[in-house]
Amino acid sequence: MSMPQLAPNIQDKTQIRQKSLLQRNRDSYLWIKVIIGLIAAVLFILPVIWMIFVSLKPDGYVTKNPVEWFLPPYTLDNYTRLLEESLILKWTWNSFIVAFITTLLSLLVTSLAAFAISRLKFRYKNFILVFFLLGLMIPGEATIIPLYEVAKSLGLIDTYAGLILPMIASSMGIIVLKSFFDNVPKELIESAVIDGCSTFKLFYKIILPLSKPAISAIGIFTFIGSWNNFLWPYLATLSEDLYTLPVGIPVFNSNYSTAYVLPMTANAIASIPVIIAFLIFEKQIVKGISFTGIKG
Amino acid sequence: MRKKLLIQDLKAIPYLLPFFLVYVVFTIFPVFKGFEMSLHEWKLVGKVDFIGIENYKKMISDPFFWETLWNTTKFVIYTTPTMILLALGLALLANLKTKLKKFFRAAYFLPSILSVSVISFLAIYMLQPYNGFVNTFLHLIGIQAEPFWIADKKLAWVAIVVVTLWWTVGFNMILFLAALQDIPDSLYEAAEIDGASRWQMFIHITLPQLVPIGKVILLLQIIASYKVFAQIMLITGGGPGGTTRPLIQYIYEVGFNKNLMGYAATMSYALFMILLILSIVQLRYQRKEN
């Protein structure tokens, strides 16, 4: 809550005194709240910190003292061992390439359609818009069994294309981009058209650059969503070579016994890239959530 | 005139067609395909027999369908109110006038970006009995209990709910935070002049202003929670003894382990109908708000 500012026309001294009393009252509990906030923040990041420290321990390390997890000796042996002996590098690459292409294609296909609906004239436009938005009411989880059949009959099971294509069409993307494109000032578009700008040029030279905030927000969400997607890659991949990280990580649970260090190293390898991306893009992510309300 | 319209239509087609194709094939068509499958005895490979509404009859009398649907509903009941209170509390903390507020926001949101496999794995290892981080920490602060977080029927639910809250509260916290920052200062100024206390302001200004976004979060949360699957399957495997197994896990097992794709599609349809009703309610409500 922001500090109230005194309206300039208020001269009454009793009111001013009341106000300063209130302000003292206002701040007196702040430090308690900040401490509660700090404890909560530490609890939220502690598991992630613990994971990273465990990954730096010698293989097979176990302790009954929780503090000792964080103390030296540290080693990077687990990382080299996992990268050399397991498929985790391949899985990281799969996750990256699938997330990257999904994001690129999704942005391309969705922004083209949103542009047509927002800026071009054609018949049955409202019908098409409503049809494209029906997807908001079709949860992927509830159609996953028939989707598997569709992908199977198209020969997409156990292929990169099978991991990417079903995840491209986003009704949410259509809504967000259309409303963004709608808000591009009319004068800009009219003057471009008068200058002889073609429709496609209008799209990629004027509309797209002006919609960067929306595009980057949707892009970040699509990328993170794809990077972390579990259910579809779990069903659509058969060979270990094609696993993405979320599908591959549980393999360590069975293959490498219940020792802590290697599984947590696998976890850290899967998480460090997204944590770095998060620290870089935190502002856009937060903004993106508050103007789209996109979940996950 | 007609020709001009046609030219305009043709011009729009290349822009619409790519989206249209992937959307129809992978989003719309599976809905109809699912209905077709639900009317057949459908195997992973090969044989397909039309059996009418047999699958639906089977579903109605399948105790596991009702049990897993109830487990999913339990998950919704446990997580929704706690999620809203926690999200609101964290949003208030991240909105405090302190230099740490950006750190708070980032810390509360951080788990949300992790993969479900990572957080599930993390939970399994942290919640181990005897030498897991949580239990050894309890011992350190003098609590000599040895809770079996994953193997005990009640504690398994506690573990799933706490892990889910920790993992997903960030999104809702940010929605509340944005709404908090949108409350006009003038409302607080006016109340202050009237001599309102801080608590009164919270009750009479802050909370009412948060009701609209709170309702949106409530509905989005219920819809999202009905789709729960991965973290439960990975942490408890649906156990102990099926007490935490959600509907989607059962659908998966029936389809892929028991090779009854038609019946799995039938139960997916039931879930689809529940979610459809919830999303219609949600869209109606959101339209009214706007």
Side-chain angles (χ1 to χ4, degrees):
Chain A
M1 262 148 275
S2 58
M3 296 280 260
Q5 270 157 19
L6 202 58
N9 57 345
I10 296 173
Q11 299 287 326
D12 190 315
K13 278 188 180 161
T14 57
Q15 275 188 346
I16 291 172
R17 206 174 60 212
Q18 235 179 16
K19 178 148 194 83
S20 63
L21 274 172
L22 271 170
Q23 266 172 359
R24 226 176 299 149
N25 176 37
R26 165 175 295 260
D27 281 330
S28 59
Y29 293 112
L30 184 65
W31 66 275
I32 301 181
K33 292 175 190 164
V34 171
I35 288 175
I36 295 173
L38 199 60
I39 292 171
V42 170
L43 285 176
F44 266 76
I45 54 177
L46 188 63
V48 179
I49 309 270
W50 178 74
M51 168 182 88
I52 290 173
F53 275 100
V54 174
S55 76
L56 298 172
K57 284 282 171 192
D59 189 19
Y61 185 87
V62 173
T63 173
K64 293 212 168 196
N65 180 351
V67 180
E68 275 177 18
W69 286 110
F70 300 95
L71 306 175
Y74 305 128
T75 168
L76 286 173
D77 284 354
N78 313 299
Y79 285 87
T80 44
R81 189 172 150 205
L82 268 193
L83 294 177
E84 278 167 12
E85 290 176 21
S86 78
L87 285 169
I88 198 158
L89 211 56
K90 177 81 179 144
W91 298 339
T92 311
W93 169 249
N94 289 344
S95 283
F96 175 77
I97 204 74
V98 167
F100 185 73
I101 298 177
T102 303
T103 307
L104 214 64
L105 287 181
S106 179
L107 284 177
L108 182 73
V109 162
T110 311
S111 62
L112 280 170
F115 170 71
I117 290 168
S118 167
R119 290 292 162 188
L120 299 184
K121 283 187 190 136
F122 54 91
R123 285 173 289 175
Y124 312 115
K125 188 194 270 190
N126 277 335
F127 173 78
I128 291 175
L129 177 61
V130 169
F131 178 66
F132 281 178
L133 296 188
L134 282 180
L136 288 175
M137 291 193 276
I138 305 174
E141 287 82 352
T143 53
I144 205 102
I145 297 279
L147 178 63
Y148 182 84
E149 284 294 316
V150 171
K152 199 174 73 183
S153 52
L154 293 173
L156 291 174
I157 296 301
D158 217 22
T159 65
Y160 280 119
L163 292 175
I164 294 166
L165 290 176
M167 302 295 137
I168 288 176
S170 153
S171 299
M172 182 55 95
I174 294 274
I175 289 197
V176 174
L177 288 177
K178 180 197 170 283
S179 61
F180 230 85
F181 295 168
D182 284 347
N183 287 332
V184 172
K186 243 197 165 128
E187 301 79 44
L188 260 176
I189 292 167
E190 276 163 5
S191 66
V193 171
I194 289 168
D195 289 347
C197 194
S198 72
T199 311
F200 187 67
K201 236 181 174 172
L202 181 70
F203 169 67
Y204 86 97
K205 278 257 158 92
I206 295 176
I207 303 273
L208 274 195
L210 284 172
S211 310
K212 247 192 195 158
I215 303 254
S216 57
I218 296 176
I220 292 167
F221 282 122
T222 313
F223 191 93
I224 294 181
S226 171
W227 178 272
N228 288 337
N229 192 8
F230 175 77
L231 184 53
W232 180 243
Y234 180 63
L235 297 182
T237 54
L238 303 169
S239 42
E240 285 203 348
D241 261 352
L242 216 77
Y243 282 2
T244 56
L245 275 173
V247 182
I249 285 173
V251 171
F252 289 99
N253 205 10
S254 41
N255 286 6
Y256 289 82
S257 81
T258 45
Y260 284 76
V261 176
L262 278 180
M264 286 306 116
T265 312
N267 257 1
I269 292 175
S271 307
I272 288 168
V274 274
I275 292 175
I276 292 171
F278 170 65
L279 296 177
I280 297 172
F281 294 118
E282 200 238 345
K283 234 183 180 173
Q284 282 98 316
I285 293 175
V286 168
K287 250 197 219 149
I289 295 170
S290 36
F291 77 60
T292 61
I294 299 178
K295 304 261 298 178
Chain B
M1 187 61 197
R2 184 144 267 205
K3 208 173 161 191
K4 201 182 157 205
L5 278 176
L6 194 66
I7 290 173
Q8 282 184 337
D9 291 352
L10 287 175
K11 248 183 145 177
I13 284 176
Y15 293 90
L16 296 167
L17 195 63
F19 185 89
F20 183 83
L21 281 179
V22 278
Y23 178 69
V24 166
V25 174
F26 297 110
T27 306
I28 299 296
F29 181 65
V31 176
F32 295 96
K33 183 78 180 172
F35 186 63
E36 187 202 352
M37 290 172 76
S38 74
L39 300 176
H40 289 79
E41 191 178 341
W42 197 294
K43 299 274 158 113
L44 267 169
V45 225
K47 218 171 145 195
V48 176
D49 291 319
F50 182 80
I51 52 167
I53 59 164
E54 281 307 310
N55 278 327
Y56 288 90
K57 281 189 190 161
K58 186 173 169 184
M59 178 174 81
I60 300 288
S61 57
D62 179 356
F64 290 122
F65 168 73
W66 295 108
E67 185 194 86
T68 51
L69 179 60
W70 173 235
N71 284 341
T72 299
T73 309
K74 264 191 197 162
F75 176 82
V76 174
I77 295 169
Y78 294 153
T79 52
T80 307
T82 42
M83 174 68 80
I84 289 183
L85 287 178
L86 184 64
L88 176 62
L90 294 178
L92 290 169
L93 291 172
N95 198 34
L96 289 174
K97 284 207 132 331
T98 152
K99 281 180 182 161
L100 290 168
K101 75 196 264 186
K102 278 193 179 153
F103 167 67
F104 287 180
R105 187 181 72 188
Y108 305 153
F109 190 75
L110 180 73
S112 304
I113 58 156
L114 300 176
S115 154
V116 64
S117 312
V118 169
I119 62 103
S120 304
F121 229 173
L122 203 45
I124 292 173
Y125 284 90
M126 289 195 91
L127 297 174
Q128 290 286 327
Y130 304 116
N131 56 19
F133 190 78
V134 172
N135 279 15
T136 52
F137 184 77
L138 291 179
H139 302 159
L140 189 76
I141 60 172
I143 299 170
Q144 288 307 325
E146 198 62 69
F148 281 66
W149 294 103
I150 289 160
D152 179 276
K153 281 186 184 183
K154 280 193 185 129
L155 290 180
W157 271 118
V158 174
I160 287 166
V161 170
V162 170
V163 170
T164 304
L165 290 176
W166 168 72
W167 178 39
T168 58
V169 74
F171 276 96
N172 298 323
M173 182 260 313
I174 286 177
L175 292 177
F176 269 128
L177 188 58
L180 274 175
Q181 286 162 353
D182 278 349
I183 301 176
D185 288 347
S186 57
L187 287 179
Y188 294 107
E189 284 160 25
E192 197 140 29
I193 290 164
D194 290 343
S197 72
R198 240 191 105 69
W199 177 247
Q200 283 173 322
M201 283 191 226
F202 178 71
I203 295 292
H204 295 292
I205 299 174
T206 313
L207 278 186
Q209 292 280 323
L210 292 178
V211 166
I213 189 71
K215 286 186 183 165
V216 171
I217 294 174
L218 175 74
L219 288 162
L220 285 175
Q221 194 52 42
I222 293 175
I223 293 172
S225 304
Y226 261 105
K227 302 187 212 167
V228 69
F229 160 68
Q231 73 266 38
I232 296 184
M233 194 195 78
L234 291 170
I235 295 175
T236 67
T243 40
T244 58
R245 182 168 62 164
L247 181 58
I248 293 187
Q249 187 183 338
Y250 183 52
I251 291 174
Y252 168 80
E253 288 168 2
V254 163
F256 289 88
N257 298 349
K258 293 194 185 158
N259 197 8
L260 298 170
M261 294 292 271
Y263 184 41
T266 311
M267 291 191 288
S268 304
Y269 241 80
L271 177 65
F272 181 40
M273 286 302 146
I274 294 171
L275 292 170
L276 189 67
I277 293 165
L278 290 170
S279 6
I280 290 171
V281 172
Q282 190 240 336
L283 289 179
R284 274 258 168 96
Y285 180 77
Q286 250 177 351
R287 194 176 298 165
K288 219 167 66 190
E289 283 299 306
N290 295 335

